[in-house]
Amino acid sequence: MNNTWTIFKKESRQMALEYKWIWLPVVFILLGATQPVTSYYLPSILEMMGGEQGITVDPSKFVLDGNTILAATLASQFDQMGLIIISLSFMGIIQGEKASGMLSFMMTRPLNLRSYLLGKWVAAYSLIAFSMMAGFGTSMFYSHYLFDGVNVGIGIKAFSIYLVWGMFILSVIMTVSTLLRGSGSVAFVSIVILLLFRMLAGLDPLVDLFNPASLSLEAASVLKANGMMSGIMWTLLFVAVWISLLFSLNEWLIKHRKVYLRHG
């Protein structure tokens, strides 16, 4: 536990030096504000673009409630641009220390590998969760004042479900960062894998039980219909299994495949 805390403090300090604790929350705040603001002004924008000779805008078609806007924020902003930004922000979480030789040096120390990985994961996820919370809170604020208000309790429940999907996102990025050499390839492969999971979500109820990305759809469903799928507990269990397997794979790659020697 002492090793985990030491790595956590080191990673948090490094992210502070890189100003990640400032710019990443700001990016998610902008993403959170984008959906309600654009949805609110969309009828006016379409009307101005169409003019008298263009399309006729029916204002009733754009009557949305705050919870629907929050659901769209998760699906349209966080699951697209947000996912890409997170991948780019943390593509070097392991790869960077392999490239610099730091991981090779640390492997000569009496360091518990699992504590090392856990410390880095917790530090990175703390920043991701904080940034998502800032963005979702911003979206909730604008949705409340621009539309028909939001149900705060339902919003918190939905966001809590979405945060578990965020855990899986980081675990995938961390594993790919351990496996691959270049930071650009880490980001690209991570984005492709995560978008593939996201594209498969909702296609089949049975597949959704095993697909962590279905939690994103579930969070949106909670916001729009105030209900949860019957198998959500199984999905949460399988996400925990996914994350455990990815951690074990990380540990095995470093300890037995010695990826840090090939990338030093």
Side-chain angles (χ1 to χ4, degrees):
M1 186 58 69
N2 287 336
N3 284 336
T4 301
W5 177 242
T6 300
I7 296 298
F8 172 82
K9 290 191 295 183
K10 169 187 169 296
E11 289 297 309
S12 298
R13 190 181 306 114
Q14 182 61 35
M15 290 188 296
L17 292 174
E18 295 172 356
Y19 301 103
K20 283 185 178 180
W21 283 99
I22 298 176
W23 65 259
L24 191 58
V26 169
V27 169
F28 270 87
I29 287 173
L30 293 175
L31 291 177
T34 297
Q35 193 67 36
V37 171
T38 54
S39 297
Y40 182 78
Y41 289 107
L42 184 59
S44 300
I45 294 172
L46 291 176
E47 194 169 3
M48 286 190 299
M49 291 177 62
E52 294 182 357
Q53 299 179 356
I55 59 175
T56 302
V57 178
D58 182 2
S60 64
K61 296 293 184 181
F62 297 93
V63 176
L64 300 171
D65 61 89
N67 285 350
T68 302
I69 296 299
L70 286 177
T73 297
L74 296 179
S76 300
Q77 303 299 329
F78 287 13
D79 270 357
Q80 294 178 24
M81 284 303 302
L83 188 150
I84 293 172
I85 290 166
I86 290 174
S87 298
L88 292 172
S89 301
F90 295 97
M91 59 188 178
I93 188 169
I94 303 292
Q95 183 274 335
E97 295 196 340
K98 289 190 302 181
S100 67
M102 180 59 68
L103 182 57
S104 181
F105 169 77
M106 294 179 71
M107 290 303 296
T108 65
R109 308 284 87 185
L111 174 68
N112 184 293
L113 186 54
R114 187 161 298 178
S115 297
Y116 164 78
L117 293 172
L118 183 60
K120 293 182 76 69
W121 188 92
V122 172
Y125 183 70
S126 297
L127 176 55
I128 291 172
F130 176 74
S131 301
M132 286 182 171
M133 191 180 305
F136 191 77
T138 302
S139 185
M140 186 176 290
F141 172 81
Y142 279 104
S143 298
H144 177 76
Y145 284 99
L146 295 179
F147 296 92
D148 293 335
V150 297
N151 188 312
V152 176
I154 293 176
I156 293 174
K157 182 192 298 184
F159 184 66
S160 299
I161 295 172
Y162 190 85
L163 282 177
V164 182
W165 163 233
M167 294 180 182
F168 179 76
I169 290 174
L170 176 59
S171 300
V172 169
I173 296 171
M174 195 167 177
T175 304
V176 177
S177 185
T178 300
L179 184 60
L180 299 183
R181 181 169 186 171
S183 57
S185 59
V186 171
F188 176 77
V189 173
S190 298
I191 292 169
V192 170
I193 292 174
L194 292 167
L195 288 179
L196 180 61
F197 272 96
R198 187 63 180 81
M199 290 169 59
L200 292 174
L203 295 180
D204 184 87
L206 182 60
V207 175
D208 283 345
L209 290 177
F210 304 92
N211 187 355
S214 65
L215 292 177
S216 175
L217 297 182
E218 182 59 25
S221 177
V222 168
L223 286 165
K224 289 189 271 190
N226 191 22
M228 291 190 289
M229 64 183 183
S230 57
I232 187 171
M233 295 307 298
W234 283 106
T235 304
L236 292 172
L237 175 62
F238 282 119
V239 171
V241 172
W242 270 107
I243 293 174
S244 298
L245 289 174
L246 290 172
F247 259 84
S248 298
L249 178 58
N250 264 290
E251 191 174 1
W252 182 83
L253 286 170
I254 296 174
K255 183 182 295 183
H256 298 286
R257 300 294 294 178
K258 293 182 170 53
V259 293
Y260 56 91
L261 294 179
R262 294 188 292 112
H263 303 286

